[in-house]
Amino acid sequence: MVLNFPKAFVGALCLALINAWGAAADTSAYTVYRGTFVYLPKLNSSSTKPELTRSQGVLWVSAEDGRIKGYDWGVKDDASFQSFLSSHGWSDGSGSGSTQVQVVKSDDSQNEFFFPGFIDTHIHAPQFPNLGLFGSNQLLEWLNEYTYPIEASFGSKSDPNNTQTNPNDAPPLGLREYDEVIARTLSHGTTTASYFATIHVAATNALAALCQRHGQRAFIGRVCMDNKDQCPSYYVDESAEEGFNATKSTIDYIHSIDPNGTLIKPIITPRFAPSCSNESLDGLGQLAASYDPPLHIQTHIAETTSEVELVQQLFPESSSYADVYDKAHLLTNRTILAHGIHLTKEEWALIVKRGSAVAHCPASNSALGSGLAPVRAMLEAGVTVGLGTDVAGGYSTSILEVARQASLVSRLLSYSAEYLALIGNTTAEGTDGHEKLSPDDVLYLATRGGAQVVHMADDIGGFDTGMIWDAQLIELGAVQNKTISPLPAKPLKSLVSRAAAESATVGNIDLFGNETWQEQIQKWMWSGDDRNVKNVWVQGKLVHTRS
Amino acid sequence: MVLNFPKAFVGALCLALINAWGAAADTSAYTVYRGTFVYLPKLNSSSTKPELTRSQGVLWVSAEDGRIKGYDWGVKDDASFQSFLSSHGWSDGSGSGSTQVQVVKSDDSQNEFFFPGFIDTHIHAPQFPNLGLFGSNQLLEWLNEYTYPIEASFGSKSDPNNTQTNPNDAPPLGLREYDEVIARTLSHGTTTASYFATIHVAATNALAALCQRHGQRAFIGRVCMDNKDQCPSYYVDESAEEGFNATKSTIDYIHSIDPNGTLIKPIITPRFAPSCSNESLDGLGQLAASYDPPLHIQTHIAETTSEVELVQQLFPESSSYADVYDKAHLLTNRTILAHGIHLTKEEWALIVKRGSAVAHCPASNSALGSGLAPVRAMLEAGVTVGLGTDVAGGYSTSILEVARQASLVSRLLSYSAEYLALIGNTTAEGTDGHEKLSPDDVLYLATRGGAQVVHMADDIGGFDTGMIWDAQLIELGAVQNKTISPLPAKPLKSLVSRAAAESATVGNIDLFGNETWQEQIQKWMWSGDDRNVKNVWVQGKLVHTRS
């Protein structure tokens, strides 16, 4: 009765194929991607509304730097493809060109398309084991009950003073958990992630090394938290200075394993204002600015109203939560501010002025009951916004799930008393509905928006020439074409399984053949999951293939 | 490079195994389920807070009627299991008992457990092809743009007067779509569904026959809509009387294929008040009451505020939306009212008085921006509440996804101006948080709550002796136990896949071994999907196995 699908065997086969592929790809100067490409063109002054675009043809990527060197949407059939190859002096093995290139095709019969990789602008790697565990707490209680204990477990008993730097000295369970969160996010198409680690140097270095091993683009932040009044005694930096030294140690390690910052970059990470002394905040602002180029910065802001009140109490000299960070020179054009639900319009203006950005985390904000962020209003005020899973306040490692939640929350926004006050309306009926985020909007936030947030708008998030090939191959599956056997007047006695139908579908997406391509994308946005992510590339390298 | 996993082969194998299993099960008088059972005990006056319970041992089901005949939580190991079998004179093939029984085990090493089947109290089968397609419309526009056109396609060009009754006369694409929505809901563990079909008799009969073929418990409603002012000209009953006749025709057909109503029952289905004339509403109330026992009834209520206003205009003689239905004797103890977001407290009281129930559809309500239903307040007022996917206002066929959304929406409720007015508070800070629905709460709604809604609280939704075995076997997967190879100071050049790790995980659930069983269930509730549904039984028969 029990059918054990031979996963281990297929897994091994996949691994072998990946390695073979990787080896083969390494010998070709270019990889030509052929088929269907879906993406969001970059917005500018003449195009302010994101619109999904589909192009069919070829696009080629240099193995040397993993960047897109050109595209040709005129290549539609095999003949024009061979002409295209010849014109470049290339061969796919069947033609006459002298230079062998690798060719990767999307399969139209399976409704496959290339899509830019997702960018997770806010994720707590050590909280991953707590995914789905948060009870009915709000933020501040949740931190004490769930979050600080799991984060503390990434320290080593043999290292009470947090002086170890060797990533292999991190606890074995922690290594396993870090390895898995990277594998999971990659499997959902996340090609870039901005990670909060913990206060521990060895484990933070391990997270960096594991991201590099998996080939995921990542910002790695050792968490700084030295305010003993607001942090648990078992999980706190001894002092601001000890925090600086530990942070510098992780920066040095990351620079040693990725000297050019090709994939892995350090990011200065004060947990949030209440966790940090003024000395720590000021020093971290200076630390970020002391590098050339300045280091990225990430922290939290205005996630809950009680947190906003706490910040007012703790920092009476500041005019707002954003002003606390600004006074410490932590609001830069490389700063990621997670959540930002309860910011004032004055804070938006300050954030825009400094060129900082907001990581919108709707799955987390709903799960913890933090509130509904007014994303459209922030965008219209000029704030840069991307998406974050906020694992494990958020219950999913998937940015596609977060995109869904961003859309859902935007459709409930007109019921929020806080939002109505913000826009000066008194009832939901008074809103015009333009606050709703469409599939195009949220997929823009998931790609281009995220790229802006991590200050890489010219490098990732789209398929423009010169950009890095951080991409995913999405497979929606074939159109349903089963035939239904005649229905009797009386019921059949024997049971019928859906096995015959299953061959056409991939995951939870059903296509019946009458969808426009835009509707196919909408079905993906609302029903897609990691089963639809067939391959993932970062910097031109294949880093994940569905098993 | 492309790895084609041999789905067709595995599919065929599954089918063979299911059939073999079905045949084998048919020859045994009992099936003994052995292992871990998780469920929600029925609430009563002494237990008002749902609490997940786990029992380990055996439970046995009669093949004759598919009902649970007993359980023994003292059976823990193989020796006590053999004693248990002997005491009943049973044999699993290895013992000495004279009566052969079928044994189905859950596998603890894979963290498997039996769970009651989910009950979808509100789903529109013909809207399934539109899953994920709804633009930025609210309800009334969405009906015209998306919903009425797809529903109309279930009619046949050769049958403009809707007189055909043979299910095989339904359009082939419609049959395919109906077949797939049943297969999909079963694959997500939905053992009972209350379906809205369309106005078409042949296609409605086909839906009934297909549910019976798949073995899914279902209520099948031909949709009644005869108000020509409010319905599109291409999709409307010619008259109230034509609607009655067509409805009676589907009732007769359903009674002919399932004379005892074992699996499939008809349900009287006025679309919603605005779609129906007073003559139609009154007549449908009488029609339901004319059967013994009275037929079930389903309709929509108070989904959006503009719909509530429309009902006030169309039915000026009624004191409320609920009163419209009450005047037509459509509020009975077998009535399912979908949505109920914007009901007044007076309407709650009327609904409680009549014993009617609400199908809460949060995925749909958020997706269409209909609002946030105050579920806890309704429950405390005595309203019976279950969950509905509301495909395709809802974007998912999964009740587990709906349970998640129910929890998420409840955590945003305190931000709703409408909710604050309802409870007499002025700010979110004034609420005490008890409106939040826990995993236990929403899983209760998904099982016991749904059973109450469909008036089958003594038959389904739990594992009490005497109840029907409508159940699912959930597999969370093994605990992660991979070891991480040493991290070099410099990055590896070769790529690493997650294939080696994958063997431990099923779907998106990661267990690290330190979770309590309650936390395992929480992880399932937040991250589970159809990959975790290994087997599904209805009325003691295996009707779905994961492929």
Side-chain angles (χ1 to χ4, degrees):
Chain A
M1 167 54 202
V2 176
L3 181 73
N4 281 314
F5 168 59
K7 271 186 186 169
F9 167 74
V10 174
L13 196 57
C14 282
L15 187 59
L17 284 165
I18 290 178
N19 288 338
W21 165 265
D26 283 346
T27 66
S28 297
Y30 293 95
T31 300
V32 178
Y33 296 89
R34 181 183 172 196
T36 300
F37 301 78
V38 178
Y39 51 94
L40 286 302
K42 200 181 283 192
L43 293 181
N44 53 43
S45 53
S46 65
S47 64
T48 56
K49 191 174 143 32
E51 193 169 358
L52 282 159
T53 299
R54 184 175 73 157
S55 300
Q56 294 179 300
V58 295
L59 172 158
W60 56 101
V61 172
S62 162
E64 190 181 352
D65 61 3
R67 289 184 186 264
I68 298 166
K69 298 303 176 186
Y71 55 84
D72 185 342
W73 303 145
V75 175
K76 301 292 186 196
D77 55 16
D78 288 346
S80 59
F81 182 60
Q82 289 303 329
S83 301
F84 157 80
L85 290 176
S86 298
S87 72
H88 285 77
W90 291 343
S91 165
D92 63 351
S94 66
S96 58
S98 57
T99 307
Q100 184 81 16
V101 295
Q102 194 76 34
V103 178
V104 178
K105 289 203 280 189
S106 66
D107 181 349
D108 284 341
S109 75
Q110 296 300 313
N111 294 292
E112 293 181 355
F113 57 90
F114 298 101
F115 195 81
F118 289 136
I119 297 160
D120 187 346
T121 63
H122 184 64
I123 174 167
H124 292 266
Q127 297 175 22
F128 173 66
N130 277 356
L131 210 68
L133 308 181
F134 41 75
S136 290
N137 294 295
Q138 278 214 337
L139 175 68
L140 300 179
E141 299 76 35
W142 167 79
L143 285 171
N144 285 312
E145 189 173 343
Y146 288 90
T147 303
Y148 293 143
I150 189 82
E151 290 196 13
S153 74
F154 282 76
S156 173
K157 282 180 187 147
S158 65
D159 185 28
N161 296 320
N162 196 18
T163 55
Q164 292 176 350
T165 61
N166 187 327
N168 297 298
D169 289 333
L173 180 60
L175 288 175
R176 198 179 297 159
E177 292 162 344
Y178 274 167
D179 190 72
E180 183 66 4
V181 69
I182 299 162
R184 281 283 181 204
T185 50
L186 277 174
S187 76
H188 288 279
T190 297
T191 49
T192 297
S194 191
Y195 287 109
F196 278 57
T198 63
I199 66 171
H200 312 99
V201 174
T204 301
N205 291 350
L207 179 62
L210 285 164
C211 283
Q212 194 171 44
R213 176 183 284 180
H214 278 276
Q216 185 177 53
R217 188 179 307 288
F219 296 85
I220 305 290
R222 192 203 79 95
V223 173
C224 298
M225 43 196 287
D226 72 321
N227 182 346
K228 294 198 169 57
D229 293 339
Q230 296 290 327
C231 300
S233 59
Y234 62 85
Y235 184 54
V236 62
D237 286 333
E238 271 307 299
S239 65
E241 187 171 357
E242 194 231 45
F244 300 148
N245 290 337
T247 298
K248 278 186 236 168
S249 177
T250 63
I251 295 167
D252 290 345
Y253 176 78
I254 292 166
H255 284 162
S256 79
I257 65 167
D258 194 347
N260 300 318
T262 307
L263 277 189
I264 316 296
K265 290 193 177 80
I267 183 166
I268 299 295
T269 306
R271 184 175 203 104
F272 69 147
S275 305
C276 297
S277 65
N278 271 321
E279 184 190 354
S280 175
L281 293 172
D282 289 340
L284 291 169
Q286 290 171 25
L287 185 63
S290 70
Y291 287 83
D292 181 22
L295 295 187
H296 286 66
I297 296 166
Q298 63 184 354
T299 189
H300 299 85
I301 197 166
E303 184 174 358
T304 68
T305 50
S306 49
E307 171 209 3
V308 171
E309 286 163 19
L310 177 63
V311 169
Q312 280 173 348
Q313 290 167 25
L314 295 175
F315 301 89
E317 71 285 6
S318 289
S319 60
S320 70
Y321 200 157
D323 185 51
V324 174
Y325 293 136
D326 195 46
K327 280 194 163 57
H329 304 289
L330 287 164
L331 291 190
T332 75
N333 64 2
R334 287 174 172 77
T335 299
I336 306 172
L337 300 165
H339 305 295
I341 303 171
H342 306 284
L343 293 168
T344 64
K345 288 182 179 175
E346 290 70 31
E347 287 176 293
W348 293 351
L350 176 59
I351 290 166
V352 171
K353 194 170 169 189
R354 300 292 181 238
S356 302
V358 167
H360 175 47
C361 307
S364 166
N365 298 341
S366 296
L368 293 179
S370 305
L372 303 92
V375 173
R376 178 80 72 201
M378 283 197 276
L379 290 169
E380 289 177 349
V383 179
T384 296
V385 182
L387 299 180
T389 57
D390 191 28
V391 166
Y395 52 86
S396 170
T397 53
S398 162
I399 283 291
L400 194 66
E401 170 70 17
V402 172
R404 279 195 280 273
Q405 292 302 319
S407 184
L408 291 173
V409 164
S410 76
R411 288 156 200 250
L412 294 178
L413 200 55
S414 68
Y415 297 93
S416 156
E418 185 180 350
Y419 177 69
L420 294 175
L422 183 81
I423 64 169
N425 276 48
T426 51
T427 66
E429 285 73 30
T431 65
D432 62 2
H434 96 294
E435 74 283 356
K436 294 180 186 174
L437 299 176
S438 68
D440 301 53
D441 287 326
V442 295
L443 291 173
Y444 189 92
L445 294 179
T447 54
R448 296 276 187 186
Q452 282 182 282
V453 170
V454 299
H455 200 65
M456 293 185 72
D458 292 334
D459 291 316
I460 56 176
F463 290 151
D464 312 347
T465 300
M467 289 183 114
I468 300 168
W469 183 250
D470 282 15
Q472 43 186 330
L473 178 62
I474 302 297
E475 180 188 20
L476 302 182
V479 168
Q480 286 277 13
N481 61 357
K482 63 183 164 185
T483 51
I484 306 301
S485 56
L487 294 165
K490 301 286 170 185
L492 286 172
K493 284 293 175 199
S494 65
L495 294 161
V496 174
S497 91
R498 65 189 305 265
E502 186 104 76
S503 60
T505 61
V506 175
N508 276 314
I509 295 174
D510 284 284
L511 301 179
F512 292 98
N514 45 10
E515 300 87 358
T516 65
W517 73 261
Q518 289 95 339
E519 288 176 335
Q520 289 194 352
I521 304 296
Q522 289 166 33
K523 287 196 166 191
W524 171 55
M525 197 211 105
W526 286 104
S527 300
D529 63 31
D530 50 310
R531 285 170 283 192
N532 303 106
V533 181
K534 194 172 175 185
N535 290 308
V536 179
W537 295 265
V538 175
Q539 197 87 23
K541 286 190 191 297
L542 184 70
V543 295
H544 170 78
T545 197
R546 188 184 60 202
S547 64
Chain B
M1 166 54 201
V2 177
L3 180 73
N4 281 315
F5 166 62
K7 272 187 186 168
F9 167 73
V10 175
L13 195 56
C14 283
L15 187 59
L17 284 166
I18 291 179
N19 287 338
W21 166 264
D26 283 346
T27 66
S28 298
Y30 293 94
T31 301
V32 177
Y33 296 89
R34 181 181 173 197
T36 301
F37 301 78
V38 178
Y39 52 95
L40 286 303
K42 201 182 280 191
L43 293 182
N44 53 42
S45 53
S46 66
S47 65
T48 56
K49 191 175 143 35
E51 193 169 357
L52 282 158
T53 298
R54 184 176 74 158
S55 300
Q56 293 179 300
V58 296
L59 173 158
W60 56 102
V61 173
S62 161
E64 192 181 351
D65 61 2
R67 287 184 188 265
I68 298 165
K69 298 302 175 187
Y71 55 84
D72 185 342
W73 303 147
V75 175
K76 301 291 185 196
D77 54 17
D78 288 346
S80 59
F81 182 60
Q82 288 304 328
S83 303
F84 158 78
L85 289 176
S86 298
S87 71
H88 285 80
W90 291 343
S91 166
D92 63 351
S94 66
S96 59
S98 57
T99 307
Q100 183 81 16
V101 296
Q102 193 76 35
V103 178
V104 178
K105 290 203 279 188
S106 67
D107 181 349
D108 284 342
S109 75
Q110 296 301 312
N111 293 294
E112 293 183 355
F113 57 91
F114 298 101
F115 195 81
F118 289 135
I119 297 161
D120 187 347
T121 64
H122 184 64
I123 173 167
H124 293 266
Q127 296 175 23
F128 172 66
N130 278 355
L131 211 68
L133 309 181
F134 41 76
S136 291
N137 294 294
Q138 277 215 337
L139 175 68
L140 300 178
E141 300 76 34
W142 167 78
L143 285 171
N144 286 311
E145 188 173 344
Y146 288 90
T147 303
Y148 293 143
I150 189 83
E151 290 196 14
S153 75
F154 282 75
S156 172
K157 280 179 186 148
S158 65
D159 184 27
N161 296 322
N162 196 17
T163 56
Q164 292 176 351
T165 61
N166 186 327
N168 297 297
D169 289 333
L173 179 59
L175 288 175
R176 197 178 298 160
E177 291 162 344
Y178 274 168
D179 190 72
E180 182 67 4
V181 70
I182 299 162
R184 280 284 181 204
T185 51
L186 277 175
S187 76
H188 287 280
T190 297
T191 49
T192 297
S194 191
Y195 287 110
F196 279 57
T198 63
I199 67 172
H200 312 99
V201 175
T204 302
N205 291 349
L207 179 61
L210 285 165
C211 283
Q212 195 171 43
R213 175 182 285 181
H214 278 276
Q216 185 177 54
R217 189 179 307 288
F219 298 84
I220 305 288
R222 193 204 78 94
V223 173
C224 298
M225 41 195 287
D226 72 321
N227 182 347
K228 294 198 169 55
D229 293 340
Q230 295 291 328
C231 300
S233 59
Y234 62 85
Y235 184 54
V236 62
D237 285 334
E238 271 307 299
S239 66
E241 187 171 357
E242 194 230 44
F244 300 148
N245 291 335
T247 298
K248 279 185 238 170
S249 176
T250 62
I251 295 168
D252 291 345
Y253 175 79
I254 292 165
H255 284 162
S256 79
I257 64 166
D258 194 348
N260 301 318
T262 307
L263 276 188
I264 315 295
K265 291 192 177 80
I267 183 166
I268 299 295
T269 306
R271 184 176 204 104
F272 69 147
S275 304
C276 297
S277 65
N278 272 319
E279 184 190 355
S280 175
L281 293 172
D282 290 339
L284 290 169
Q286 290 170 25
L287 185 62
S290 71
Y291 288 82
D292 182 23
L295 296 187
H296 286 66
I297 296 166
Q298 64 184 353
T299 189
H300 300 84
I301 197 166
E303 184 174 358
T304 67
T305 50
S306 49
E307 170 208 5
V308 171
E309 288 163 17
L310 178 63
V311 170
Q312 280 173 346
Q313 290 167 24
L314 295 175
F315 301 89
E317 71 283 7
S318 290
S319 61
S320 69
Y321 199 156
D323 185 52
V324 174
Y325 293 137
D326 194 47
K327 280 196 162 57
H329 304 287
L330 287 165
L331 291 191
T332 76
N333 65 1
R334 287 174 172 78
T335 299
I336 306 172
L337 299 165
H339 305 295
I341 305 170
H342 307 284
L343 293 168
T344 64
K345 288 181 178 174
E346 291 70 29
E347 289 176 293
W348 293 351
L350 176 59
I351 289 166
V352 171
K353 193 172 171 189
R354 300 293 182 239
S356 302
V358 167
H360 176 47
C361 307
S364 166
N365 298 343
S366 296
L368 292 179
S370 303
L372 302 92
V375 173
R376 177 80 71 200
M378 284 198 276
L379 289 170
E380 288 177 349
V383 180
T384 297
V385 181
L387 299 181
T389 57
D390 191 30
V391 166
Y395 52 86
S396 170
T397 54
S398 161
I399 284 292
L400 194 67
E401 169 70 16
V402 172
R404 278 194 280 272
Q405 292 302 318
S407 184
L408 291 174
V409 165
S410 76
R411 289 155 199 251
L412 293 178
L413 200 53
S414 68
Y415 297 93
S416 156
E418 185 179 349
Y419 177 69
L420 294 175
L422 184 81
I423 64 169
N425 274 48
T426 50
T427 64
E429 285 72 32
T431 64
D432 63 1
H434 94 296
E435 74 284 355
K436 294 179 186 175
L437 299 176
S438 69
D440 301 55
D441 287 326
V442 296
L443 291 173
Y444 189 92
L445 295 178
T447 55
R448 296 274 186 187
Q452 284 183 280
V453 170
V454 300
H455 199 65
M456 294 186 72
D458 293 333
D459 292 317
I460 56 176
F463 291 151
D464 312 347
T465 300
M467 290 184 112
I468 301 168
W469 183 250
D470 282 16
Q472 45 187 327
L473 178 61
I474 302 297
E475 181 188 20
L476 301 182
V479 168
Q480 288 277 14
N481 62 356
K482 63 184 165 184
T483 50
I484 306 302
S485 55
L487 293 164
K490 298 288 170 184
L492 287 171
K493 284 297 175 195
S494 66
L495 294 162
V496 173
S497 90
R498 64 190 304 266
E502 187 104 73
S503 58
T505 63
V506 175
N508 275 315
I509 295 174
D510 283 282
L511 301 179
F512 291 98
N514 45 9
E515 300 87 359
T516 65
W517 73 262
Q518 290 93 339
E519 288 176 335
Q520 287 194 352
I521 304 297
Q522 289 167 32
K523 287 196 166 191
W524 172 53
M525 197 212 104
W526 285 105
S527 300
D529 63 31
D530 51 309
R531 283 170 284 190
N532 304 107
V533 181
K534 194 172 174 185
N535 289 309
V536 179
W537 295 265
V538 175
Q539 197 87 23
K541 286 191 191 295
L542 184 71
V543 296
H544 169 79
T545 199
R546 188 185 59 202
S547 63

